[in-house]
Amino acid sequence: MDVIASADYYPAFATRHRTAPLWTVQFHPEYTADLRERLETDFGWTEVESGFADVNASRVVENFASIGADSSE
Protein backbone atom coordinates (compact mmCIF):
# COMPACT_ATOMS: atom_id res chain seq x y z
CA MET A 1 0.00 0.00 0.00
CA ASP A 2 1.19 3.51 -0.80
CA VAL A 3 0.23 6.36 1.51
CA ILE A 4 -1.64 8.98 -0.53
CA ALA A 5 -2.83 11.28 2.28
CA SER A 6 -1.71 12.13 5.79
CA ALA A 7 -2.69 14.44 8.60
CA ASP A 8 -0.80 16.01 11.49
CA TYR A 9 -2.28 13.41 13.82
CA TYR A 10 -1.98 10.32 11.57
CA PRO A 11 0.64 9.62 8.86
CA ALA A 12 -1.41 7.06 6.88
CA PHE A 13 -4.74 8.86 6.50
CA ALA A 14 -5.43 7.22 3.12
CA THR A 15 -3.70 4.51 1.12
CA ARG A 16 -3.82 3.00 -2.35
CA HIS A 17 -2.75 -0.50 -3.33
CA ARG A 18 0.17 -0.49 -5.75
CA THR A 19 -1.47 -2.75 -8.35
CA ALA A 20 -5.04 -3.60 -7.30
CA PRO A 21 -7.99 -1.16 -7.42
CA LEU A 22 -8.02 -0.88 -3.62
CA TRP A 23 -8.21 2.39 -1.67
CA THR A 24 -8.55 2.97 2.10
CA VAL A 25 -9.23 5.81 4.52
CA GLN A 26 -8.40 5.79 8.22
CA PHE A 27 -10.96 8.11 9.76
CA HIS A 28 -14.70 8.38 10.22
CA PRO A 29 -16.38 10.46 7.48
CA GLU A 30 -19.74 9.76 9.13
CA TYR A 31 -18.79 12.20 11.91
CA THR A 32 -20.59 15.27 10.72
CA ALA A 33 -21.61 18.54 12.32
CA ASP A 34 -24.82 16.77 13.39
CA LEU A 35 -22.71 14.96 16.01
CA ARG A 36 -20.95 18.11 17.28
CA GLU A 37 -22.93 18.40 20.53
CA ARG A 38 -22.38 14.75 21.44
CA LEU A 39 -18.65 14.97 20.66
CA GLU A 40 -18.38 18.03 22.88
CA THR A 41 -20.34 16.39 25.71
CA ASP A 42 -18.81 12.91 25.55
CA PHE A 43 -15.22 13.76 24.61
CA GLY A 44 -14.70 17.47 25.30
CA TRP A 45 -14.01 18.07 21.60
CA THR A 46 -13.99 21.59 20.22
CA GLU A 47 -13.23 23.02 16.77
CA VAL A 48 -10.02 24.67 17.94
CA GLU A 49 -7.76 22.17 16.15
CA SER A 50 -10.10 20.52 13.63
CA GLY A 51 -13.43 21.51 12.16
CA PHE A 52 -16.38 20.10 10.26
CA ALA A 53 -16.60 22.86 7.67
CA ASP A 54 -14.82 20.99 4.86
CA VAL A 55 -15.19 17.40 5.98
CA ASN A 56 -18.12 15.21 5.07
CA ALA A 57 -18.73 11.79 3.54
CA SER A 58 -19.92 13.20 0.21
CA ARG A 59 -16.76 15.22 -0.24
CA VAL A 60 -14.60 12.19 0.58
CA VAL A 61 -16.37 10.09 -2.06
CA GLU A 62 -16.11 12.90 -4.64
CA ASN A 63 -12.38 13.31 -3.96
CA PHE A 64 -11.72 9.56 -4.22
CA ALA A 65 -13.69 9.34 -7.46
CA SER A 66 -11.67 12.22 -8.88
CA ILE A 67 -8.35 10.72 -7.83
CA GLY A 68 -9.38 7.30 -9.17
CA ALA A 69 -10.40 8.79 -12.50
CA ASP A 70 -7.09 10.68 -12.76
CA SER A 71 -5.05 7.56 -11.99
CA SER A 72 -6.81 5.46 -14.63
CA GLU A 73 -5.94 7.80 -17.50
Side-chain angles (χ1 to χ4, degrees):
M1 301 296 283
D2 292 324
V3 174
I4 59 171
S6 61
D8 293 342
Y9 54 89
Y10 191 71
F13 200 73
T15 61
R16 178 176 59 190
H17 192 273
R18 290 184 181 105
T19 58
L22 177 66
W23 304 65
T24 69
V25 292
Q26 185 61 37
F27 72 110
H28 297 276
E30 73 276 13
Y31 282 157
T32 64
D34 296 338
L35 297 173
R36 178 180 291 136
E37 186 175 319
R38 184 168 177 190
L39 291 171
E40 290 174 358
T41 301
D42 292 352
F43 303 103
W45 179 86
T46 64
E47 289 193 69
V48 174
E49 294 181 27
S50 301
F52 285 109
D54 295 318
V55 180
N56 62 62
S58 296
R59 185 166 180 189
V60 170
V61 171
E62 290 168 6
N63 288 342
F64 264 64
S66 175
I67 292 169
D70 289 347
S71 68
S72 66
E73 293 177 355

